[in-house]
Amino acid sequence: MRNLTLATGLSVVLIACGNGDDALATQGGAEESQAFADISPVDRKPFDKTEVTSFDEPWAMTFLPDGRMLVTEKKGNLLLVNQDGTKTEIGNVPEVDYGGQGGFGDVILAPDFATSGRIYLSWVEAGEDDTRGAVVAHADLSLAPNEPGIEAEAPALSNLKTIWIQNPKVTGRGHYSHRMVFSPDGKYLFIGSGERQKFDPSQDMTGNLGKIVRLYPDGSVPEDNPFVGQDGALPEIWSLGHRNILGMAFDSEGKLWNQEMGPKDGDELNLVEAKANYGYPIVSEGDHYDGKKIPNHDTRPEFAAPKVAWVPTIAPSGLIIYSADLFPAWKGSAFIGGLASEAIIRVSFEGEETKEAERFAMDKRIREVEQGPNGALWVLEDGEGGRLLKLTPPK
């Protein structure tokens, strides 16, 4: 069951839309942020907030087994960060094509990181004739021991190998997506590939724009992917009809969820299923920025509809499904960072009902939300000077 509830007055938004990154590109960010001034904030203190450190345009983070973090900055930096905020730059990172929404992207650990030391990175690379696109690679990460008094070589990457390329490379600097997640069993790597603000490629099976793809960790294609053997279709495609995928996460039942920015309103939280077509740009809960209307999902039942959608936009970025006990009331909820909404959005799952349950005003564009080793929520603000925040239960 999906919930499509407009945010008016004091009501909560459930029809998802849009984009904070898009909002910047179209200079609509201030107007979209203002749309949330009328939404009532949570009237209790939900957490204590501690500022840890800050970054220059941070984009993604992930936790190492020892509690340290890896954080990417769009301009091309990969940083090793202690929980006290101490930062060390990691060497031998790839060159990125920085500009617009492009640059360094996601970072995640290989399922066997504890023994292999392997990580996965995404970034934007330049092509010919002013084109560009995202790539995914794995690399070996060497780290100094996390013990006082032990000197070691500076952390660095080695054996960098590209395993996936966004295809085709096109002009423009938006909607790369390049989010990654491993399946719970560690067998499959899922990659979100945005439609690069080109609309129609989301429905074109000869390319991977506007798709979620599924690969083995080495980049090869599983033979049981849904479009393997279909003429005119890339075998790596898992699902299609997506726009700008900026968060993916598995729940405790092994179901894959993604959030993506809609056009002018219409952000989506989707249950991602093999072979499903989510309809963009044929259908959407939002409309084009030029005012041109897009039919809603309920006009075309052959397309998979979002479980939650937001109008006006929240501009989602980052997605986790909380699994720890530190915030027991939130266990099993999804948390989404909001760019234009300058908020953290909690989504609850109750039987077949999926809905926005709470919205926490943060007064800054939120780029990323992650769950820390002890269950704290760690949050990256967007842009220059974006802070790393640690959220813990209120005292």
Side-chain angles (χ1 to χ4, degrees), residues 185-196:
D185 60 10
K187 290 178 61 177
Y188 305 107
L189 173 66
F190 290 82
I191 304 169
S193 178
E195 46 72 73
R196 299 285 281 106

Side-chain angles (χ1 to χ4, degrees), residues 10 36-44 46 358-363:
L10 298 181
F36 293 90
D38 296 329
I39 296 175
S40 61
V42 174
D43 58 1
R44 59 180 172 78
E358 294 178 289
R359 183 176 301 198
F360 306 109
M362 300 298 287
D363 301 319

Side-chain angles (χ1 to χ4, degrees), residues 341-385:
S341 52
E342 296 187 346
I344 295 173
I345 293 88
R346 182 173 77 86
V347 175
S348 64
F349 304 89
E350 299 175 6
E352 294 185 357
E353 185 176 7
T354 306
K355 64 180 182 180
E356 178 180 322
E358 294 178 289
R359 183 176 301 198
F360 306 109
M362 300 298 287
D363 301 319
K364 294 287 185 180
R365 292 166 56 87
I366 302 303
R367 172 56 64 181
E368 172 82 306
V369 181
E370 282 291 337
Q371 177 180 310
N374 70 345
L377 289 174
W378 293 74
V379 177
L380 280 175
E381 296 175 345
D382 191 42
E384 295 181 5

Side-chain angles (χ1 to χ4, degrees), residues 121-140:
L121 302 162
S122 68
W123 68 92
V124 174
E125 68 174 10
E128 298 179 353
D129 301 322
D130 198 34
T131 63
R132 52 194 59 84
V135 300
V136 168
H138 59 61
D140 297 331

Side-chain angles (χ1 to χ4, degrees), residues 255-285:
K255 294 182 292 187
L256 177 60
W257 296 83
N258 91 287
Q259 53 82 345
E260 58 191 85
M261 291 186 176
K264 189 177 186 295
D265 301 324
D267 304 327
E268 299 179 4
L269 178 67
N270 293 305
L271 175 60
V272 180
E273 297 180 315
K275 209 171 186 176
N277 187 337
Y278 294 84
Y280 192 76
I282 301 169
V283 293
S284 173
E285 304 307 316

Side-chain angles (χ1 to χ4, degrees), residues 52 61 63 69 83 369-370 372 376-379 388-390:
V52 179
M61 63 178 161
F63 280 88
M69 290 160 270
Q83 292 199 15
V369 181
E370 282 291 337
L377 289 174
W378 293 74
V379 177
L388 174 65
L389 305 174
K390 182 181 181 181

Side-chain angles (χ1 to χ4, degrees), residues 79 81 90 220 272:
L79 301 168
V81 184
I90 295 174
S220 60
V272 180

